[in-house]
Amino acid sequence: MSGDGSTAVADRLLGAVRGQDWAQASTIIDEAWIELTMTGHLDAVGQVVATLPEQFLHEPPTAGLVAENVGRLPPGSVNAQVPADHGTLRALGRSPAAHRVLSRTLAGMAARRRRGLHTSAMEYVARGTVVADAAEFVMFREVRRLLPFWQLQAGITAHLAGELGIARRLHRAAYRSREASAYDIVGRDAAGNMAMIEALSGRLVEADAWLARALAETHRPTWVGPLVQVPIDVAAGIAAADRLDREGCLRFLERAATSADHDEHWAGVLFAYTSIELVLGDIAGAVAFVAQLEESHERWTGETGLGRTGLALARADLALTQGRGTVARSALRGLEDDPAAVPTLARLALLEGDPDRTAALADAAGHDETVSLRGRLELLLAGAAADVARDQPEPAAERLATAVRLAEPHGILRVFATVPRAVLEAVEPRVPGLRDVLARLEERRIGEIYPDQVVSVQLTRRERELLHELAGPLTLGQIAEKWFVSRETVKSQMNSLRTKLEVSTRQEVLSRAAALGLTGAPEDAGT
C-alpha cells in the first residue's frame, strides 16, 4: 500500500468512527492495521481502538488484539480465531485467507509478548508458521508482501521467549525474502536482529557478518527507524565489550543514554550495557541503569523468557562484582536448571570458595549443546580457576588452551578478565597464546572484573521469618507468643542469626542483613 493509499484508508477509518459505523471501523482495522501502523498512521489506529465499543473489539478480533497491546483490554481477553489444527492451518495457508490469518497471529504475538506472556505469544508463532510454510508454495501477492515482515516479527517474539533456534530460522527467512516485502525495513531489521543474537551468544565473527549486511540495507525514514537501529547498536556494543574496545563501548553508552524507548530489544540493551559498565568499572552506573530499565519495561518481563533470565543474571553479576554473594544467590534462585545461568552459578561457587562445585558445573556444561559459546568460554575460565585452587595445573592449562583457541577467531578478550590474573599467570607457560592475551589485557588496562571472594550467608526459612519480624516493633517474647513457641526457641534462632552475620545486637543484625541483601520477604527464603 502506498503512502497515499494508506492515508486514504486512514481517512476512511476515522470517517467510520465519526459516523459511529463501528462495524466498518473494526473491519478496516482487521484488514489493514499493519499497513496503517507501518505507514505512519499508528495514532489513528490507537484512537480508533480506544473509541470502539467493546463488542466491536471481538468480531472481527484484530482490533481487540491491538487493544490488548495498548492496554485497553487485559491480556488474553480476545480470541484471535486462528484454528489450532495443522490440517486446517495448511489449507488456509494455500488460500487467499492466509493474509488475514497471518495478520491476526501477528497482532496476537505482538500483544502477548508486550505483556511478557511468552508461551501464549509462541503459540501464535507456531500456528502462523504452519500457515506461512504452506503459503510459500502458493504465494498470493498480498501474502508474499506480508510474509517477510511476519517472519521478522515472529523471530523477535521467539528471541524474547528465549527460543534462539527458532528466532535464527525466522530472521534468516525474513532476510532472504526481504526484496518481496511491502516494508523496506525488513532487510536491515532482520540482519540487525541476527547480529544481536549472534553477539549475545558470543559468536562475534557471525555477528560482524550480519552487522555488515544490516548496514548495507537502506530504508525510507519512518517512525520505526530508531527501533530498527537498536539491535544493530546492541550487537556492536557487545562486540566492543568482548573485545575491550573502549571507544566502541563509549559509543554504545552514549546511544543507550539518548534512546527514549528500547522496546522489545530491551533485554539485549541490558546485557550490552551491564557488560560494558563492568569492563569500564562503573558498577554504580550499571546498577542504576538496571533499576531504570527494569521499572520502565516491567510489562515485558513475564514469568519466563529472555527478559526475566537476563534481569536475574544482571542482578547476580552486579552483586558478585560488589562481593555480595548472598544477593547473587538470591537473584539466581529458580535458575539452577537454566543453561544460561550455569556460568554465573559456577562463578558464584568459585567466589564462595567451592572449587569442586565450580569444576563439576564446568565439566557438565562442556557436554551440553544448549550452552552458548559465550557460556562455554566463561565456564572454561571458571573451571581453570577452580583447578588452580585445587592445585591441578594440568587440567587448568587444558581448559585455558581451549578457551584461547575458541576466543581467538572472534577477538574475545573480556572473558579472560573474569578470573584472577594470578590464575592465568600460574599456567601461562603451559598455554600457547595466553601470554599474548595477558599482554593485551595489560595494554588495555583492564583489571579483574570480580573480586577474589564474596560474602555469602544462607538462612533457614525460620531465620528469615525472624529477620522479618525483627524489623517490626515486637520483642522476642512477643514474637514467641505470635508464633506459639517458647521464648527460648526464638532466642536460639536469634543467636544463630548473630553467629551467621557475625554481629551482636538486634540493630546490627538488621543492618548487616540489609547490606547482604537478606531483607526480602520471608516467602523468598531457602530451606
Side-chain angles (χ1 to χ4, degrees), residues 168 172 193-208 210 238 374:
R168 282 189 173 101
R172 286 193 186 105
N193 274 278
M194 277 299 300
M196 179 172 65
I197 291 172
E198 300 296 8
L200 285 165
S201 301
R203 292 155 50 97
L204 299 192
V205 171
E206 291 82 356
D208 289 342
W210 282 107
I238 293 172
R374 176 180 304 285

Side-chain angles (χ1 to χ4, degrees), residues 405-433:
R405 175 175 56 80
L406 292 176
E408 193 276 332
H410 302 276
I412 294 175
L413 287 173
R414 176 186 179 273
V415 69
F416 294 97
T418 61
V419 297
R421 201 64 46 86
V423 168
L424 305 180
E425 292 170 347
V427 294
E428 179 268 318
R430 304 168 184 256
V431 182

Side-chain angles (χ1 to χ4, degrees), residues 339-421:
V342 174
T344 308
L345 288 164
R347 183 176 299 118
L348 172 60
L350 178 68
L351 298 181
E352 287 180 331
D354 189 353
D356 290 337
R357 174 158 172 74
T358 299
L361 286 168
D363 291 339
H367 304 289
D368 187 345
E369 294 183 357
T370 63
V371 176
S372 67
L373 173 61
R374 176 180 304 285
R376 189 177 178 197
L377 285 170
E378 292 180 356
L379 285 163
L380 285 167
L381 268 293
D387 291 335
V388 170
R390 298 183 301 171
D391 197 23
Q392 297 179 7
E394 286 298 333
E398 290 177 14
R399 292 188 205 265
L400 285 171
T402 302
V404 170
R405 175 175 56 80
L406 292 176
E408 193 276 332
H410 302 276
I412 294 175
L413 287 173
R414 176 186 179 273
V415 69
F416 294 97
T418 61
V419 297
R421 201 64 46 86

Side-chain angles (χ1 to χ4, degrees), residues 466 470 476 490-498 506 509:
L466 177 57
L470 291 175
L476 294 185
V490 175
K491 282 181 67 177
S492 175
Q493 290 162 348
M494 183 65 175
N495 288 336
S496 177
L497 275 178
R498 290 192 184 104
R506 177 171 178 159
V509 165

Side-chain angles (χ1 to χ4, degrees), residues 279-297:
V279 165
L280 299 179
D282 184 5
I283 309 305
V287 170
F289 187 80
V290 169
Q292 171 195 331
L293 207 61
E294 181 177 10
E295 181 180 357
S296 61
H297 289 75

Side-chain angles (χ1 to χ4, degrees), residues 68 76 108-109 112-113 116-125 157:
E68 285 188 23
M109 71 174 81
R112 303 298 157 80
R113 78 187 187 201
L117 301 174
H118 301 299
T119 301
S120 176
M122 284 303 295
E123 181 59 35
Y124 283 114
V125 171
T157 303

Side-chain angles (χ1 to χ4, degrees), residues 6-54:
S6 64
T7 299
V9 173
D11 289 343
R12 263 199 312 128
L13 177 61
L14 294 175
V17 172
R18 285 192 294 270
Q20 297 190 5
D21 187 348
W22 307 120
Q24 175 68 0
S26 184
T27 298
I28 292 172
I29 289 179
D30 190 54
E31 295 173 349
W33 78 275
I34 300 173
E35 289 82 355
L36 289 169
T37 299
M38 293 300 296
T39 52
H41 300 288
L42 182 64
D43 289 344
V45 173
Q47 178 183 337
V48 173
V49 166
T51 306
L52 278 173
E54 186 167 339

